[in-house]
Amino acid sequence: MGYDFSSVRNLVEVAGGRGTLIASILRANLSMEATLFDLPYVVEEARPLIEALGLLNRCHWWEETSLNQSPRGRRLPAEIYHSRLG
């Protein structure tokens, strides 16, 4: 049994990699929007999957050159999910 995301409206996945997890969560939760937060080259690798699945209108991108930096004054109105797979 997985996590119940049904009450989450905005999700931020930190270090989300190629977007497979965030894509599957978005596909299962049609009213949710999400942001993939990762390094620029990783975000670019995730875009084709998100686009192919028709999720570009609900998936946003946040690129930083270091995931250890604070997010430069940006506020996160979201639940935060950090995936550590593999």
Side-chain angles (χ1 to χ4, degrees):
M1 175 179 248
Y3 183 81
D4 178 10
F5 287 98
S6 61
S7 66
V8 178
R9 293 182 50 211
N10 295 290
L11 177 89
V12 175
E13 187 180 13
V14 178
R18 292 183 174 84
T20 54
L21 181 60
I22 205 167
S24 64
I25 293 170
L26 284 172
R27 289 179 72 190
N29 297 278
L30 301 178
S31 63
M32 179 189 290
E33 291 194 13
T35 300
L36 179 62
F37 174 64
D38 215 319
L39 301 169
Y41 78 92
V42 178
V43 168
E44 284 305 313
E45 290 176 3
R47 255 183 236 274
L49 172 67
I50 300 300
E51 184 174 13
L53 294 173
L55 299 171
L56 281 177
N57 62 329
R58 295 191 297 128
C59 188
H60 311 284
W61 316 101
W62 186 348
E63 302 171 10
E64 289 289 341
T65 56
S66 171
L67 298 181
N68 294 322
Q69 294 177 2
S70 62
R72 290 189 240 162
R74 293 178 76 174
R75 298 182 67 196
L76 300 176
E79 299 293 323
I80 299 177
Y81 181 76
H82 186 155
S83 112
R84 282 280 200 208
L85 301 176

